[in-house]
Amino acid sequence: MAFQVPSTIIPINEAARMQAVRRYDVLDTPPDGAFDRVTAIAARIFNVPIAIISIVDHDRIWFKSHHGLPVEQIDREPGLCASAILHSDPYILEDASKDVRSLTNPLVAGDFGLRFYAGVPLHTHDGYNLGTLCVIDREVRPITERQIDDLRDLASLVMDQMELRLSARTELERATRANEQANLMGREIEHRVANSLQFVSSILRLQGRQVPKDVAEHFERAAHRVGAVARVHRHLLNEENVAYVSALAYIRRLCGDLADILGVPVAVNGEEAQLNTKTIQSVGLLLNELVTNAAKHGAGTITVSFAATKSDCKLSVCDEGKGLPPGFDFAAQNGLGIKIIDVLAKQLGGGVTTNSNNGRGTCWVVTFPRKGDISAA
């Protein structure tokens, strides 16, 4: 049978008060130095052995801090803090054995032998008493108004700490919700963009079937590039956070997709870094052009590498083909693919170089600076 708390020690606003207790989310939290310092100070000021910060739960009194008492909680009855929260004024017992409010209380009449109790309610800004800051002694003692004022001030410090922590937690939860909403919106936008681009790519391919072969090739190339943009956006949908993306994981997924489409093996290696969405989109489009170019003009396995240092990022795509012709000048090339690679590299604030893949094939290397919105993993 559940313990029944006497109605005489239940505030008239108990339901709302308990909602306030839950709002501060302090029950059963670990010991805290800030609160322990308050009870230590209270014990010194009053020269008593025991000082407690209590929270009155529905059937117990839980101690957030318990200086001089090796107990974490007691039942709500016979706890004196349950009576102390019934009013906003301090609850003072100079000699509990002779005070009509407490002389039959088991803590007073029993082995514990409580004689002195002074408690100030922990009062919230919206009018609820969560518990008390109280000082306790087994000896009878007087108390002055100045001491009561000191206890009030210390109780206010306790509530200041609790309000600050509540505000911090509320702001964190609000920021988390805002971030989740932004991610959901970002994912919806990426989804719509990817679908729209895929639709355009399909239309271009359909149109290409109805024109002469030499013109159809242009439609096919255009469809492929629009499809590449769609793939870049679609792979962003796999990210939990679309604001910042795990670069290496993204590159692996996109290259796996390209390997299936192009029918060539693509190996990926490197190190992790977080890139923002704008950066990863440019990286994805660069990968599409470079891997497609390597599949068309190279041979063997295409190797994609990504590296990140404190100063820059480096993306390389290498093949095992016959290599570039002697005297190849990247800047002098007029092909659309080359121009796209150049533009995308410049969007990243970087540049493109070419070199031999250990004497066999070609490596295209895009190097771009680390920015404030890019962080190493």
Side-chain angles (χ1 to χ4, degrees):
M1 182 176 179
F3 174 74
Q4 297 294 319
V5 178
S7 59
T8 54
I9 58 171
I10 298 179
I12 58 174
N13 63 351
E14 178 66 359
R17 189 194 72 82
M18 283 304 305
Q19 288 182 357
V21 169
R22 300 288 184 259
R23 182 178 74 217
Y24 284 87
D25 195 24
V26 67
L27 286 171
D28 299 311
T29 53
D32 190 302
F35 295 110
D36 290 343
R37 283 189 288 274
V38 171
T39 52
I41 291 170
R44 286 201 301 270
I45 289 176
F46 282 84
N47 193 28
V48 296
I50 300 170
I52 296 171
I53 293 172
S54 70
I55 304 295
V56 179
D57 199 359
H58 64 92
D59 61 353
R60 61 172 177 159
I61 299 173
W62 180 77
F63 302 151
K64 176 58 182 173
S65 178
H66 44 98
H67 177 88
L69 186 69
V71 176
E72 294 184 353
Q73 66 180 42
I74 61 172
D75 290 338
R76 188 164 177 173
E77 170 71 18
L80 293 172
C81 296
S83 299
I85 66 166
L86 295 175
H87 307 285
S88 58
D89 295 329
Y91 192 80
I92 308 297
L93 301 172
E94 293 185 342
D95 184 352
S97 66
K98 295 181 180 179
D99 195 302
V100 294
R101 296 172 295 173
S102 58
L103 56 88
T104 61
N105 187 291
L107 294 175
V108 178
D111 293 339
F112 186 77
L114 183 148
R115 290 296 178 266
F116 172 78
Y117 176 94
V120 173
L122 300 176
H123 197 65
T124 69
H125 65 88
D126 50 351
Y128 300 106
N129 292 334
L130 305 180
T132 70
L133 169 63
C134 63
V135 289
I136 296 170
D137 200 351
R138 293 183 172 89
E139 302 292 334
V140 174
R141 62 172 56 246
I143 186 170
T144 66
E145 285 298 323
R146 181 173 180 176
Q147 287 178 311
I148 293 174
D149 288 341
D150 288 341
L151 198 60
R152 280 197 180 103
D153 288 342
L154 288 173
S156 295
L157 288 177
V158 171
M159 282 310 304
D160 287 346
Q161 279 290 322
M162 293 181 65
E163 293 288 356
L164 283 171
R165 293 168 194 220
L166 174 62
S167 296
R169 190 172 68 252
T170 300
E171 287 303 315
L172 179 60
E173 290 171 352
R174 183 179 294 116
T176 300
R177 288 195 300 270
N179 185 58
E180 290 173 349
Q181 290 172 355
N183 276 325
L184 286 173
M185 184 173 293
R187 291 171 67 84
E188 178 62 23
I189 290 171
E190 293 296 339
H191 180 74
R192 294 190 180 192
V193 168
N195 284 346
S196 298
L197 290 169
Q198 195 60 55
F199 176 75
V200 172
S201 178
S202 299
I203 291 296
L204 286 170
R205 284 193 166 90
L206 287 172
Q207 291 293 321
R209 296 172 186 171
Q210 303 173 25
V211 298
K213 184 177 180 179
D214 57 337
V215 179
E217 291 178 357
H218 293 288
F219 275 91
E220 180 60 29
R221 283 196 293 270
H224 176 75
R225 287 195 167 94
V226 172
V229 179
R231 283 192 296 276
V232 167
H233 282 275
R234 195 171 298 282
H235 279 289
L236 286 175
L237 297 174
N238 293 325
E239 298 294 330
E240 293 183 2
N241 186 340
V242 297
Y244 288 90
V245 177
S246 169
L248 194 59
Y250 179 86
I251 290 170
R252 289 187 193 280
R253 290 198 304 270
L254 184 56
C255 286
D257 196 6
L258 289 170
D260 291 339
I261 293 170
L262 299 170
V264 296
V266 181
V268 178
N269 60 68
E271 54 199 63
E272 193 52 271
Q274 296 291 315
L275 304 183
N276 67 21
T277 301
K278 182 179 179 180
T279 300
I280 202 65
Q281 286 175 343
S282 295
V283 169
L285 292 172
L286 271 167
L287 267 176
N288 180 81
E289 290 295 331
L290 292 171
V291 172
T292 300
N293 186 66
K296 183 177 181 181
H297 299 291
T301 299
I302 299 170
T303 302
V304 175
S305 301
F306 178 78
T309 68
K310 291 183 179 180
S311 59
D312 59 33
C313 294
K314 184 178 293 184
L315 175 72
S316 65
V317 177
C318 302
D319 63 62
E320 299 174 344
K322 61 183 180 180
L324 294 170
F328 177 83
D329 184 0
F330 173 80
Q333 303 303 306
N334 294 317
L336 179 60
I338 297 294
K339 290 185 180 298
I340 290 174
I341 292 170
D342 184 49
V343 168
L344 290 170
K346 287 178 178 177
Q347 284 181 353
L348 290 170
V352 183
T353 59
T354 59
N355 55 62
S356 172
N357 182 16
N358 295 321
R360 182 184 178 191
T362 304
C363 283
W364 294 75
V365 181
V366 180
T367 304
F368 54 95
R370 298 294 297 268
K371 299 178 182 178
D373 54 6
I374 303 175
S375 61

